[in-house]
């Protein structure tokens, strides 16, 4: 990626069941600087079963989806499969932005292979579905895997599964699987540890309503940023409550690009133009030939046209080999031999 952080605009359910809105999201994502748009490829039946038993119902009162059955939620939120080839063609042929998806079962992987996606994203809650991870990894395309509910041992298993499948293009995403995610739960300091521990690229899948976690992640070495995107939260949709709108996402992209510039490279070179303003040794009183250099007639001052201040102590007590006028940049050649 050549130090270019790959920014993914996650559409998810923010199309609100309207293919025209989905295309507008894609077009706008390109305009505001995203590198790719991501869909999700599932149906309610590939994710769960239709049941109203307590364990199939969102029971957390703080959840955006409190009281919904999983089946009804996924029925409302899914992206129709018949749209996805059309959206991919629109994105890549008309808009000029990559579009890929998260498969939630093997049939979704097969479908996405048929429409020719360039990479796969595995969601946090599917990352522990080892057969699914392996099935996608065997396709030989870059793998981006969220780790929001995975233990350290499970993350190691996931990386090993991909490598054993012959796939070494792996990006793990640090993720907090709360919607929205509280800042104090983000723990982005985990990112450099993941890079060192697992030997792969690492990024951030951010469900907060802020851009600070993204900036911090990039500063800590994140190679990929994934963030939910909507044109307007007022449009609704299952994921609108933790999605950035157009202006917020644009500001996030700019913050990432500015952070990339700030990080730059390891560089100890000196800007010679700025160096002019540094201190150096100057004659500050007229000196006659043979006169001794002292703290009264030689000083370290700005600008930087004279000898380096490191020579100051060795100069003091020696004598001038010529007459020197006040405000003359000092040279070591002025020392009497």
């Amino acid at each position: 990626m050549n130090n270019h952080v790959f920014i993914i605009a996650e559409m998810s359910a923010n199309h609100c069941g309207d293919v025209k809105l989905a295309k507008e999201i894609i077009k706008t994502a390109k305009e505001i600087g995203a590198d790719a748009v991501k869909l999700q490829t599932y149906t309610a039946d590939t994710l769960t079963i239709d049941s109203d038993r307590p364990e199939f119902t969102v029971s957390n009162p703080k959840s955006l989806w409190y009281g919904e059955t999983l089946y009804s939620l996924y029925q409302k939120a899914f992206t129709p499969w018949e749209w996805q080839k059309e959206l991919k063609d629109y994105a890549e042929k008309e808009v000029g932005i990559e579009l890929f998806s998260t498969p939630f079962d093997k049939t979704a992987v097969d479908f996405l292979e048929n429409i020719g996606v360039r990479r796969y994203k595995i969601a946090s809650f599917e990352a522990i579905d080892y057969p699914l991870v392996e099935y996608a990894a065997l396709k030989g395309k870059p793998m981006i895997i969220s780790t929001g509910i995975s233990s350290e041992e499970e993350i190691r298993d996931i990386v090993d599964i991909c490598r054993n499948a012959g796939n070494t293009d792996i990006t793990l995403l640090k993720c907090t699987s709360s919607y929205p995610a509280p800042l104090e739960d983000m723990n982005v300091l985990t990112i450099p540890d993941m890079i060192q521990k697992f030997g792969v690229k690492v990024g951030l899948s951010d469900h907060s309503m802020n851009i600070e976690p993204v900036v911090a992640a990039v500063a800590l070495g994140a190679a990929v940023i994934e963030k939910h995107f909507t044109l307007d939260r007022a449009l609704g949709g299952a994921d609108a409550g933790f999605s950035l709108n157009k202006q917020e996402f644009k500001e996030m992209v700019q913050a990432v690009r500015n952070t990339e510039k700030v990080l730059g490279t390891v560089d100890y070179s000196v800007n010679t133009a700025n160096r002019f303003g540094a201190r150096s040794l100057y004659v500050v009183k007229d000196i006659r030939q043979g006169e001794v250099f002292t703290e009264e007639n030689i000083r370290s001052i700005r600008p930087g046209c004279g000898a380096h201040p490191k020579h100051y102590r060795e100069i003091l007590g020696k004598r001038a080999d010529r007459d020197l006028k006040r405000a003359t940049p000092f040279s070591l050649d002025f020392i009497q031999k």
Side-chain angles (χ1 to χ4, degrees):
M1 294 184 185
N2 299 321
N3 205 34
H4 177 89
V5 175
F6 190 68
I7 299 177
I8 303 165
E10 167 67 85
M11 183 189 305
S12 189
N14 288 328
H15 51 68
C16 301
D18 183 344
V19 70
K20 291 182 180 178
L21 179 57
K23 289 183 176 180
E24 188 62 26
I25 289 172
I26 291 168
K27 179 172 177 287
T28 304
K30 170 67 174 180
E31 291 171 354
I32 60 179
D35 295 298
V37 173
K38 192 180 76 63
L39 307 177
Q40 296 183 355
T41 305
Y42 66 84
T43 67
D45 291 300
T46 64
L47 274 181
T48 190
I49 59 173
D50 188 3
S51 172
D52 59 3
R53 285 172 55 93
E55 64 266 35
F56 288 90
T57 302
V58 180
S59 58
N60 182 356
K62 295 182 180 179
S63 172
L64 297 171
W65 311 301
Y66 177 61
E68 289 245 32
T69 67
L70 297 180
Y71 193 86
S72 66
L73 174 62
Y74 302 145
Q75 273 191 319
K76 289 188 292 186
F78 88 112
T79 301
W81 291 27
E82 59 269 22
W83 292 4
Q84 295 191 26
K85 176 66 162 64
E86 178 185 352
L87 293 178
K88 182 175 181 297
D89 288 345
Y90 174 75
E92 298 182 356
K93 296 177 182 178
E94 297 187 43
V95 176
I97 189 170
E98 180 182 346
L99 185 143
F100 68 107
S101 188
T102 297
F104 286 79
D105 76 327
K106 291 181 179 180
T107 66
V109 175
D110 293 339
F111 172 80
L112 293 170
E113 275 295 289
N114 285 335
I115 68 172
V117 296
R118 300 182 207 173
R119 70 190 79 232
Y120 287 106
K121 160 70 193 300
I122 304 297
S124 286
F125 293 95
E126 275 59 48
I128 61 171
D129 185 346
Y130 292 176
L132 174 61
V133 173
E134 180 183 44
Y135 193 73
L138 284 167
K139 305 305 178 185
K141 294 176 180 176
M143 296 285 288
I144 302 174
I145 305 167
S146 282
T147 61
I149 63 156
S150 299
S151 67
E152 183 179 329
E153 180 182 358
E154 288 168 333
I155 295 171
R156 194 169 299 283
D157 287 345
I158 291 161
V159 171
D160 288 344
I161 287 166
C162 292
R163 287 175 172 157
N164 291 338
N167 193 324
T168 57
D169 194 339
I170 307 161
T171 303
L172 299 173
L173 299 186
K174 176 70 179 75
C175 180
T176 302
S177 295
S178 302
Y179 309 91
L183 294 180
E184 58 271 22
D185 292 346
M186 301 287 298
N187 296 315
V188 295
L189 277 174
T190 311
I191 289 173
D193 188 72
M194 292 172 71
I195 294 170
Q196 188 277 328
K197 190 162 286 178
F198 303 111
V200 299
K201 292 172 288 187
V202 177
L204 179 71
S205 180
D206 179 18
H207 299 129
S208 78
M209 293 302 294
N210 304 74
I211 67 172
E212 290 88 350
V214 169
V215 173
V218 173
L220 290 167
V224 173
I225 295 296
E226 178 185 67
K227 193 89 165 175
H228 282 67
F229 174 53
T230 181
L231 295 183
D232 186 342
R233 283 187 289 274
L235 293 170
D239 299 333
F242 53 93
S243 298
L244 297 189
N245 64 27
K246 177 180 177 181
Q247 184 59 34
E248 292 163 343
F249 202 98
K250 182 178 181 180
E251 290 173 1
M252 182 199 76
V253 171
Q254 190 58 58
V256 170
R257 301 306 173 217
N258 287 343
T259 303
E260 289 172 335
K261 291 176 184 177
V262 169
L263 291 172
T265 60
V266 177
D267 181 12
Y268 293 98
S269 63
V270 175
N271 184 314
T272 54
N274 292 342
R275 185 78 175 189
F276 175 79
R279 285 185 175 247
S280 67
L281 300 181
Y282 264 80
V283 176
V284 294
K285 285 185 179 181
D286 290 349
I287 299 174
R288 301 296 298 271
Q289 182 179 5
E291 190 176 342
V292 173
F293 297 127
T294 69
E295 292 183 357
E296 285 70 40
N297 58 28
I298 302 294
R299 284 176 55 198
S300 171
I301 62 171
R302 295 184 182 187
C305 302
H308 196 291
K310 69 182 180 181
H311 299 295
Y312 188 57
R313 292 297 175 193
E314 69 188 71
I315 291 166
L316 296 180
K318 295 182 179 176
R319 297 182 181 273
D321 75 341
R322 69 195 76 180
D323 291 344
L324 296 169
K325 291 290 188 182
R326 181 179 181 274
T328 300
F330 190 87
S331 168
L332 297 181
D333 292 338
F334 298 163
I335 301 173
Q336 198 174 80
K337 303 296 188 286

